[in-house]
Amino acid sequence: MNYAIVGFGKIGHALAKAFARNGIEVAVATTRDPESFAADAAAIGPTIIPKTLAEAVKADIIFLAVRFESHPEVAKALHNWKGKTVIDAMNTQAPLEQLGGRPSSAFIAKVFTGARVVKGFNHLVAAVLGQDPAVHGGRRVVFLASDDDDAAAEIGTLAEKLGFAHIQLGRLSEGGLLVHARGKSWGHLIFKDLIAFDR
Ligand SMILES: NC(=O)c1ccc[n+]([C@@H]2O[C@H](COP(=O)([O-])OP(=O)(O)OC[C@H]3O[C@@H](n4cnc5c(N)ncnc54)[C@H](OP(=O)(O)O)[C@@H]3O)[C@@H](O)[C@H]2O)c1
């Protein structure tokens, strides 16, 4: 299994830190030549590999860490996203009508044709997400939602490998709405920094 983070801004950096902390290799891509952010990647750790977008999307599991308005450009990187698991870490202020009445991740699932989409890693500010999730004797929680149970389970396993606890919220249009930005109102779990204590 290999991984990529598309977008190497605030959330991309926070995610990359989690991979580096656990010695897991991950490709990172932006709109720019990988050379231009190689030093930035190296400063996080040796497992953070700068790549072009075209190379990065060869990964099996791909985090979307771009601004919502940039996702159509990213989607064009592959004709068909079948076989890929896409983690939608984006939030959007776009009104529901603009999303065809669907939650934004369900909208993303249509744009990234064929991909298995999991919403997650989007509910905390980057400065918190980027911290070591081992806190107060427990583990910081990430919430996951998907219409594909297997994909949600796969990303749950990845979240654990990255040191987080995870809570499955169910389908995008059900529990997923708890971490969904809906126009100007936000799901009740957005910004809720929860810690899980293993018994
Ligand atoms: N910041 C937060 O605290 C936070 C918290 C939760 C969720 N989020 C969500 O996370 C997403 C990213 O936010 P951010 O604050 O990290 O944004 P950001 O700092 O502006 O970073 C955006 C990144 O996306 C890259 N990008 C733009 N278009 C691209 C394309 N077509 N292909 C590849 N890369 C592209 C940019 O690369 P270039 O430099 O080449 O333009 C940049 O590295 C947003 O959807 C936001 O809602 C953010």
Side-chain angles (χ1 to χ4, degrees), residues 36-37 50 55 57 64-65 70 73 101 116 118 145 153 155 170-173 192:
S36 70
F37 53 92
E55 283 297 314
V57 296
L64 287 182
S70 303
E73 266 315 301
R116 307 190 305 166
V118 179
I155 303 310
R171 297 178 69 80
L172 296 172
S173 60
K192 293 287 183 292

Side-chain angles (χ1 to χ4, degrees), residues 6-11 29-32 53 65-68 70 73-74 89-91 122 124-126:
V6 175
F8 195 40
K10 291 188 263 316
I11 281 290
T30 69
T31 59
R32 291 170 284 127
L53 178 62
V66 300
R67 290 173 185 248
F68 190 78
S70 303
E73 266 315 301
V74 179
M90 300 180 294
N91 288 322
N122 67 302
L124 294 170
V125 293

